[in-house]
Amino acid sequence: MTVTDTLSSRTSVPTQRRGRAAEPELYDFRRPMTLQRDHARHLEMAFERFGRQVGNQLTARLRAMTYLTLDGVALRTYDEYISLLPSPTALAVCTVSHTRQTALLQLPVQAMLVWIDYLFGGNGRGDDREGRELTEIEQALVKDLFVLSLKDLEYAFAGIAKLPLTVGGLQYNPQFVQAAGATDAMIVASFTLRVGEREDALTLMVPADVMLAQLKAADGPVARSEDEAAAAAITAAELERAMQDVPVELAVRFAPVVVHPRDVIDLAVGDVLPLSHPSTELLDVVVDGVVLARAAAGSHGSRLACRVVTVEENQS
């Protein structure tokens, strides 16, 4: 075989091109939406204990075999959690006693009607009528079961975080429940609830900030070897060096002026908008909506420019 034949045989092999990666997603370092591996494992173990305790509790009360199996634990914003819920559904609005924040326990109305059927000695058929809501008596019975179940939640998290919940009222439309801000971080545990032959999806949402703060406090100082500390220092230095080359948009702006909608609608060519910014006042130097400095307007050759006078970086 000649060298030419060898080269031709090599070039005849089709090359596989790497597919185009998905578009990058913005990551907010001020609100990281990921769980540390150790924290996620602690939460999973606690929610699994909770599921076993609730299964035993409901089995004894309903006199029907009940299983509550954990499907997963995720960190989501409140808006993401609400948008994934079916409508209508039942939401038990709970209060975290020591922080006065709101937690939500969600499950289908039909699942609770099955519980009530078992409580009254029925065979668990429930009521599948569309739009059916619980009566006051039924709500009292279900609330009693919730109180017992959430005591198991406090017990399951006893070694991890303080999580006492007080059961409030029931809501049926997730969009009408304003339990937190749209971007607030929430820990969402998803379960499969099986009562007899029926299976339903159940979710429990609790505020993330207090729970994660307790988990971090329980971690204590991390012991590292000299090699691990050196590797961490190199990684931090490389990250800081890389951040210096990230392009950002910088703007120099006047103080904003407030106008009415009618003023905007009626704008025409040649109109003059008086600014409230005094001619002697410094301009704001802004990056991503944060005022970093103040500058005086001027020129540099044939171009407009500004001279930085004061630096007022916002450390938050």
Side-chain angles (χ1 to χ4, degrees), residues 103-168:
L104 297 177
L105 178 63
Q106 174 270 328
L107 70 162
V109 177
Q110 288 76 12
M112 293 189 293
L113 292 174
V114 169
W115 295 1
I116 294 168
D117 196 6
Y118 277 122
L119 286 173
F120 284 107
N123 58 4
R125 290 185 58 186
D127 190 341
D128 291 331
R129 285 180 293 174
E130 191 71 24
R132 169 80 153 84
E133 295 184 1
L134 271 62
T135 64
E136 291 185 3
I137 295 176
E138 292 169 341
Q139 287 188 31
L141 292 171
V142 170
K143 184 176 180 179
D144 182 51
L145 293 177
F146 284 162
V147 170
L148 293 174
S149 299
L150 294 179
K151 286 183 178 178
D152 292 328
L153 179 68
E154 187 175 356
Y155 169 78
F157 276 86
I160 299 176
K162 188 178 180 182
L163 195 60
L165 298 183
T166 303
V167 183

Side-chain angles (χ1 to χ4, degrees), residues 81 85 90-91 104-108 188-191 201-205:
Y81 170 68
L85 294 181
L91 287 165
L104 297 177
L105 178 63
Q106 174 270 328
L107 70 162
V188 179
S190 303
F191 298 88
L202 180 149
T203 61
L204 176 63
M205 182 212 78

Side-chain angles (χ1 to χ4, degrees), residues 80-103:
E80 289 173 345
Y81 170 68
I82 289 297
S83 64
L84 294 175
L85 294 181
S87 183
T89 189
L91 287 165
V93 182
C94 308
T95 302
V96 184
S97 302
H98 62 291
T99 64
R100 311 307 301 170
Q101 293 174 297
T102 301

Side-chain angles (χ1 to χ4, degrees), residues 19-264:
R20 178 175 295 179
E23 292 295 326
E25 297 181 1
L26 293 177
Y27 186 83
D28 189 351
F29 287 91
R30 296 168 296 184
R31 191 183 296 272
M33 295 302 294
T34 56
L35 281 171
Q36 295 183 18
R37 182 177 302 176
D38 291 342
H39 294 171
R41 184 54 186 156
H42 286 316
L43 292 173
E44 288 172 357
M45 293 173 63
F47 281 120
E48 286 172 354
R49 285 195 297 269
F50 168 67
R52 289 193 296 270
Q53 294 291 333
V54 170
N56 295 335
Q57 190 75 249
L58 291 179
T59 297
R61 293 296 299 273
L62 304 180
R63 297 182 298 280
M65 292 303 300
T66 303
Y67 302 93
L68 185 63
T69 307
L70 178 68
D71 296 327
V73 180
L75 191 61
R76 302 183 184 278
T77 64
Y78 178 72
D79 187 60
E80 289 173 345
Y81 170 68
I82 289 297
S83 64
L84 294 175
L85 294 181
S87 183
T89 189
L91 287 165
V93 182
C94 308
T95 302
V96 184
S97 302
H98 62 291
T99 64
R100 311 307 301 170
Q101 293 174 297
T102 301
L104 297 177
L105 178 63
Q106 174 270 328
L107 70 162
V109 177
Q110 288 76 12
M112 293 189 293
L113 292 174
V114 169
W115 295 1
I116 294 168
D117 196 6
Y118 277 122
L119 286 173
F120 284 107
N123 58 4
R125 290 185 58 186
D127 190 341
D128 291 331
R129 285 180 293 174
E130 191 71 24
R132 169 80 153 84
E133 295 184 1
L134 271 62
T135 64
E136 291 185 3
I137 295 176
E138 292 169 341
Q139 287 188 31
L141 292 171
V142 170
K143 184 176 180 179
D144 182 51
L145 293 177
F146 284 162
V147 170
L148 293 174
S149 299
L150 294 179
K151 286 183 178 178
D152 292 328
L153 179 68
E154 187 175 356
Y155 169 78
F157 276 86
I160 299 176
K162 188 178 180 182
L163 195 60
L165 298 183
T166 303
V167 183
L170 278 179
Q171 298 290 337
Y172 299 98
N173 191 328
Q175 303 302 324
F176 293 161
V177 179
Q178 300 296 326
T183 59
D184 288 352
M186 300 289 165
I187 292 176
V188 179
S190 303
F191 298 88
T192 296
L193 174 66
R194 181 175 180 181
V195 182
E197 298 299 323
R198 181 186 177 92
E199 286 191 359
D200 293 284
L202 180 149
T203 61
L204 176 63
M205 182 212 78
V206 294
D209 52 358
V210 174
M211 184 174 295
L212 294 181
Q214 295 182 70
L215 285 171
K216 291 177 181 178
D219 289 342
V222 179
R224 291 180 175 178
S225 65
E226 293 183 0
D227 291 342
E228 290 174 337
I234 293 174
T235 301
E238 291 178 348
L239 178 60
E240 183 178 358
R241 185 165 53 253
M243 291 297 294
Q244 302 300 322
D245 296 329
V246 176
V248 294
E249 292 186 0
L250 183 142
V252 180
R253 70 183 184 189
F254 295 97
V257 59
V258 178
V259 298
H260 298 94
R262 61 177 177 271
D263 300 326
V264 178

